Amino acid sequence: MTCGWLTANSGVFGAPGDAGTLEVPVPSYLIVHPKGTALFDSGMHPTTQTDPAGRLGGLAKVFDVRFAAGEEVSGRLASLDVDATRVDYLVNSHLHFDHAGGNELISNARWVLQKREWEAGQDDAVAAANGFARHDYDHGHDPLLVDGEHDLFGDGSVVCLPTFGHTPGHQSLRVALPGGPVILTADACYFRETLEQLALPPVVHDREEMIASLHRLRAWRDAGARLFFGHDPEQWKGVPQAPAKIV
Ligand SMILES: [Zn+2]
């Protein structure tokens, strides 16, 4: 699901070359499993549609938001006949506004995130240093704090993969599909070029950890996984949009 778009100077994303500005998608993924539903990232808060400066503060100077009513994650889910308040697991890659901003809408889910990311979000100084805002993620969810890899349904089909570096406890998600394994990288890797060139954005939590995570993503790709990058507008053109499925 595309839950809005963000435009910024391409340098903000570490995009190669001098491309001026770049508009990138804000993805969210619904995973339907016999044991329950899981959402991977929740996009931006709907207030961002009408008052981006009020919601994002200084980040509204960095990012132009294109985000229409109905594109918030609960609206996208409703168009699939899925009630946002009945999603079982809310898996956050990390706590940035374009990944956890819609958490409030997924109100009854178990909240699955890396313990390191949760801890960073609880420490106001660390949260601020990483660009986290409590109004995105402080909504009383029951946290399921994981430390490293975590098999969500106990059958190997949906596995959290630690890919630290972009933020203290960033994680990606591996999903076993009929067509083979898929890895939703989120911001461990914005674009295909990030993986090919190890071209990091200028602002990351820990560059060495992020490079190590990119090498692990490369190894999984070389072993046959299909990678879906965090904000790659070129790749996104070919990604099936719900209700179509990635298979
Ligand atoms: Zn991020």
Side-chain angles (χ1 to χ4, degrees), residues 15 20-21 61 97 126-127 145 157 161 168-169 171 181 186 192 196 212:
T21 59
K61 296 191 178 75
F97 74 94
V126 177
L145 302 181
S157 62
L161 304 173
Q171 63 182 353
R192 185 178 306 284
E196 307 303 339

Side-chain angles (χ1 to χ4, degrees), residues 21-92:
T21 59
L22 190 63
E23 184 172 54
V24 305
V26 176
S28 171
Y29 297 87
L30 176 68
I31 297 152
V32 180
H33 184 280
K35 290 184 180 171
T37 49
L39 188 77
F40 185 59
D41 284 340
S42 63
M44 297 180 279
H45 193 275
T47 302
T48 319
Q49 293 165 351
T50 51
D51 183 16
R55 181 71 190 187
L56 305 182
L59 287 172
K61 296 191 178 75
V62 179
F63 297 103
D64 277 331
V65 180
R66 182 159 67 89
F67 186 28
E71 293 178 348
E72 68 283 354
V73 72
S74 56
R76 291 294 194 204
L77 290 171
S79 73
L80 307 172
D81 289 326
V82 174
D83 181 346
T85 68
R86 298 188 66 177
V87 170
D88 296 301
Y89 294 99
L90 168 57
V91 183
N92 276 139

Side-chain angles (χ1 to χ4, degrees), residues 3 5 10 19 23 25 44 56 59 69 79 90 95 102 107 112 116 122 124 135 140 175 183 185 205 239 245-246:
C3 296
W5 296 79
S10 59
E23 184 172 54
M44 297 180 279
L56 305 182
L59 287 172
S79 73
L90 168 57
L95 297 178
S107 47
V112 184
R116 288 169 55 140
Q122 301 306 307
D124 285 338
H135 63 191
V175 185
I183 294 177
T185 71
H205 167 69
V239 175
K245 296 175 183 171
I246 299 170

Side-chain angles (χ1 to χ4, degrees), residues 24 27 54 57 84 93 101-102 120 123 144 146 153 157 179 181 186 188 192 201 204-205 232 234 240:
V24 305
S93 60
D123 181 312
L144 174 61
V146 306
F153 293 109
S157 62
R192 185 178 306 284
V204 303
H205 167 69
D232 188 326
E234 285 304 312

Side-chain angles (χ1 to χ4, degrees), residues 111-173:
W111 185 30
V112 184
L113 73 171
Q114 292 285 321
K115 183 166 181 282
R116 288 169 55 140
E117 190 75 359
W118 183 84
E119 287 173 344
Q122 301 306 307
D123 181 312
D124 285 338
V126 177
N130 282 284
F132 302 165
R134 275 188 185 268
H135 63 191
D136 286 330
Y137 57 85
D138 193 4
H139 295 290
H141 289 91
D142 178 18
L144 174 61
L145 302 181
V146 306
D147 193 6
E149 290 198 15
H150 177 75
D151 182 349
L152 191 59
F153 293 109
D155 60 1
S157 62
V158 182
V159 179
C160 299
L161 304 173
T163 45
F164 305 151
H166 176 72
T167 58
H170 187 283
Q171 63 182 353
S172 303
L173 198 67

